[in-house]
Amino acid sequence: MSGKKFDNVVNLVEKKEYELDEALELLPKLKTAKFDETIELAFYMGVDPKQADQNIRGMVSLPSGTGRDVRVLVFAKGDKVKEALESGADFAGNDELVEKIQGGWFEFDVAIATPDSMDVVGKLGRLLGPRGLMPNPKLGTVTFDVAKAVSEMKAGKIEYRVDKFANIHVPVGKISFAKDDINKNIGAVIDALLKAKPSTVKGQYIRKCHISLTMSPSIQLNVAKLIKKA
């Protein structure tokens, strides 16, 4: 992106809090990349991630999907391998997948595991954990119902997780999506975050929220109206 082009895009964003509908009207004007850019939400939360009960993490299904092809890997044994592949998993197996990952292979976006595979998967904690790829029963990614888990991930189920700076970043679709579909996805994310609010949090829970494209400046949203709209 040239300096002049970037300046022109930046100048379209006013220093104010936008209502969501207003921001969604502006977003297409900020598109500069040739590819179908992802729409992202960035939240600054009023939580202390150092406190275990405020370390927010969960899953949310986006009604309109993510607009991207999610590569799903399933650690499983026996008939569950066949079930995973028939359900749309890109990779399924056990020991052989562990060896590939230990060798530096990470060509997948989500990892699911059956409970009886976790003894082997546990060996990958130091490799998968930092990448946010470790299967977790609380997130529904450790389960014997691999068909349901794979289908949900392929359909647009995503993880949200607060980082050490109390920020949460999530994709909510593509700029090519219809406005109504983007609204539905954003509403689902806001609803999930509100339901995940720890009882120990005092004061403002969602302090700031920005929306942006993959390669655009961000637009600050009016949090109060965003929550009310959801």
Side-chain angles (χ1 to χ4, degrees):
M1 187 188 302
S2 67
K4 184 176 180 180
K5 191 173 185 180
F6 180 77
D7 289 342
N8 289 338
V9 171
V10 169
N11 291 335
L12 293 176
V13 183
E14 297 179 38
K15 293 183 179 180
K16 68 172 188 177
E17 293 186 349
Y18 284 75
E19 291 192 34
L20 180 57
D21 288 342
E22 186 182 12
L24 294 182
E25 290 292 334
L26 177 58
L27 271 183
K29 300 175 184 178
L30 304 182
K31 187 180 185 305
T32 55
K34 294 181 179 179
F35 60 88
D36 191 10
E37 294 185 65
T38 297
I39 299 174
E40 302 172 351
L41 286 183
F43 298 92
Y44 175 52
M45 309 296 293
V47 300
D48 181 1
K50 294 180 181 179
Q51 304 299 319
D53 64 337
Q54 295 187 26
N55 197 357
I56 307 167
R57 184 182 184 186
M59 302 290 291
V60 56
S61 293
L62 301 183
S64 306
T66 61
R68 61 190 287 259
D69 181 25
V70 180
R71 299 168 298 176
V72 178
L73 177 148
V74 178
F75 295 102
K77 300 177 182 178
D79 292 341
K80 288 297 178 180
V81 173
K82 181 180 178 181
E83 180 183 332
L85 293 172
E86 290 180 345
S87 301
D90 299 273
F91 313 98
N94 206 42
D95 293 328
E96 68 276 21
L97 292 179
V98 171
E99 290 179 10
K100 286 184 69 174
I101 292 169
Q102 287 175 329
W105 178 79
F106 296 97
E107 300 300 315
F108 56 97
D109 304 300
V110 176
I112 297 167
T114 54
D116 59 351
S117 294
M118 285 304 293
D119 57 337
V120 176
V121 179
K123 301 175 183 178
L124 302 174
R126 292 184 179 181
L127 295 173
L128 299 182
R131 293 176 170 83
L133 295 172
M134 190 67 183
N136 187 320
K138 293 181 179 180
L139 300 178
T141 48
V142 176
T143 175
F144 277 120
D145 194 350
V146 294
K148 178 182 178 182
V150 170
S151 296
E152 288 180 341
M153 294 302 174
K154 286 288 186 179
K157 193 171 187 179
I158 62 168
E159 180 183 359
Y160 59 86
R161 185 177 187 177
V162 69
D163 64 22
K164 62 181 180 180
F165 301 109
N167 298 310
I168 294 177
H169 297 269
V170 290
V172 290
K174 297 287 186 177
I175 190 59
S176 60
F177 278 23
K179 186 177 177 181
D180 185 53
D181 288 333
I182 299 169
N183 264 309
K184 289 178 181 177
N185 282 353
I186 292 175
V189 170
I190 298 295
D191 186 55
L193 289 180
L194 292 177
K195 288 179 179 178
K197 181 181 178 180
S199 60
T200 54
V201 171
K202 306 301 179 183
Q204 190 171 352
Y205 175 50
I206 301 177
R207 294 185 176 177
K208 291 183 180 180
C209 180
H210 289 77
I211 189 169
S212 65
L213 300 178
T214 306
M215 300 179 66
S216 81
S218 63
I219 303 170
Q220 185 169 354
L221 299 176
N222 185 305
V223 172
K225 292 185 177 179
L226 186 64
I227 292 174
K228 186 176 181 180
K229 186 179 178 67

